[in-house]
Amino acid sequence: MELSRGTMKKLLVLVAFGVVLYTALEHLEAAMAALRFVWGVLAPFLVGGALAFILNVPMSFLERKLFPAPGKGRKGLPAGARRGLSLLLTLALSVVVLLLLALVVAPQLVESVSGLGNTIVGAARRFIAWAETEFASYPSITGWLEGLTLDWKGLLATTWELLTNGVGSVVTSTISAANSVISALTTSFVSFVFAVYLLLQKERLSLQCRKVLYALLPERTAGQIVEVCSLSHRVFSSFITGQCIEAVILGFMFFVCMTLLKMPYALLVGCLIAVTALIPIVGAFIGCGVGVFLLLMVSPMQALVFLVMFLVLQQVEGNLIYPHVVGNSVGLPSIWVLAAVTLGGSLMGVLGMLLFIPLASVLYTLFRTFIYRRLKEKKIKVV
């Protein structure tokens, strides 16, 4: 049986992939070094792309609401001016938010952490006093502790040796830290410039990418890739927007309720829950555990009240806020959300929890569309 041209091409691609995979496995260290080199080169652009994707959400909203395109009987700014003003306004709002966090929230957080340190010191003193009282009932333990002797000369000699040997490592660590800081600053600058370029030229870049796809791939394959990219953009944008708004609302609710109930660490716990709530399902419970621990050192009754308040606010958030803010934009059933969070957390930690939900939503939508199309082609109706 003669093989068609398409089949031969697929076989050649499969053979080439097998050869590359076998060579990479045979020289695993060299392959990993090459991957690390490629990652080091591409890291600024990947970070810039992620930053542009995040900034594009508020920028598109501002451009759509504040600088609409010219229409019938309506004058408007040129496209370049609308985009530039929207980007400048987005960057200005980002700077304002960062300054607000640095000048208003940060001092109060420092004060809360300082108060937490004093609370820990007080708890430690109470524990020491309790231990002294308890050990007084056991003379044997007290006598053993008093009989402990330390070799002060040996301890000083060991300390001096560690200090003299550690000077070289301190210098080396300082140089390494300086190089890391310079590299991080350079990467951040390149990423920011690349993100700005992407935001200013996103329509042109999108058009160029589509031209490349349709020029190099069959029309059907290129169309499918464009459709998947469009679906991914919608899902990720909706997820990021909804999750951020929900986290801010939930953190603000905890701050207000704790302030009204005159609980300590209201701002600290509110900010902590707002940050951890970005992690779907388990994030808010992490913040709750830390909040209970902080209040437990002050008053067990306040910790219990906080736990009850958390359960009430969780019900309000789950039944009222989340459906209206996030809604069904992700379009993923709850069981698959839990599976995505578990798998993402085990593979990539917190970042995996954030990425795997929209990624699973895209795969779920594609697979559901495929199944429905196959059932329609077979003229089967499953009830």
Side-chain angles (χ1 to χ4, degrees), residues 202-213:
K202 59 180 183 178
E203 285 85 6
R204 180 181 298 178
L205 292 173
S206 176
L207 178 60
Q208 291 174 350
C209 291
R210 290 200 302 272
K211 287 181 178 179
V212 171
L213 288 175

Side-chain angles (χ1 to χ4, degrees), residues 88-104:
L88 287 177
L89 189 56
T90 301
L91 295 177
L93 289 175
S94 302
V95 172
V96 168
V97 171
L98 293 177
L99 289 177
L100 184 65
L101 292 176
L103 299 178
V104 179

